[in-house]
Amino acid sequence: LVHGPGCPVCVTSIERIDQAIQLASDHQFVLCSFGDMLRVPGSKVDLLQTRAAGGDVRIVYSPLDAVRIAERERDKQVVFFAVGFETTAPANALAVQAAADRGLTNFSILTAQVLVPPAIEAILSDSENRIQGFLTAGHVCAITGTTDYYRLTAQFGIPMVVTGFEPAD
């Protein structure tokens, strides 16, 4: 799988999903994930099917929810399935720091973090690409800044505009 623009759920590799499924299937582990990952297929099953078969898969709304589960269930290894672009990395890092601050040795993350600029660069490097410009994600640029996009614009001569989710943006 070559990562490309799309939601991070859509570009998470099957191998990484299979790792999450394997952890969730082991009764020593609690796998915590955002709900959108549960139906994404691995090579044989998805996390929802794994949960139905007895795997401990829990939907959380924040990585810190997974830290709280690790606090309550110290006899299990709690793993947060950290899927996302640059925008989710700070919250994941905060969860790791919070677990360390609380002395939790049963918390970890399985990361599937991806970066937007390398995906754009891969597309523009394809000799057959016909892209004439990019609308770059304002929420990503709020985390990373725009330096990489200036570099890509200069390198490929393609305009890029930072924008948001609404037409007014």
Side-chain angles (χ1 to χ4, degrees):
L1 171 71
V2 176
H3 291 293
C7 77
V9 172
C10 301
V11 299
T12 300
S13 71
I14 288 175
E15 292 82 9
R16 188 66 74 195
I17 294 166
D18 284 345
Q19 288 174 330
I21 290 167
Q22 182 179 6
L23 290 171
S25 299
D26 184 329
H27 294 293
Q28 297 176 41
F29 290 88
V30 174
L31 184 86
C32 298
S33 176
F34 296 136
D36 55 358
M37 285 305 300
L38 269 63
R39 291 189 188 272
V40 180
S43 59
K44 295 183 178 132
V45 297
D46 60 31
L47 286 167
L48 193 60
Q49 293 165 316
T50 302
R51 184 167 72 176
D56 197 346
V57 178
R58 301 186 196 180
I59 296 174
V60 294
Y61 298 97
S62 160
L64 292 174
D65 292 342
V67 173
R68 286 188 278 279
I69 291 169
E71 262 185 318
R72 288 192 313 266
E73 300 190 32
R74 293 180 183 253
D75 60 323
K76 297 240 182 166
Q77 291 296 313
V78 177
V79 179
F80 176 66
F81 193 13
V83 174
F85 289 122
E86 294 91 337
T87 53
T88 61
N92 296 335
L94 178 66
V96 170
Q97 184 63 56
D101 290 347
R102 297 171 189 180
L104 299 174
T105 59
N106 65 326
F107 176 81
S108 59
I109 63 171
L110 174 62
T111 185
Q113 297 286 162
V114 292
L115 302 172
V116 174
I120 291 174
E121 186 169 8
I123 291 168
L124 292 176
S125 294
D126 184 330
S127 62
E128 295 183 27
N129 101 73
R130 296 174 52 178
I131 293 175
Q132 297 174 344
F134 278 92
L135 299 176
T136 63
H139 63 295
V140 171
C141 292
I143 302 296
T144 65
T146 56
T147 302
D148 282 338
Y149 299 102
Y150 283 113
R151 178 185 59 77
L152 291 169
T153 296
Q155 181 180 349
F156 293 99
I158 300 290
M160 297 185 190
V161 176
V162 177
T163 187
F165 292 112
E166 300 297 325
D169 297 337

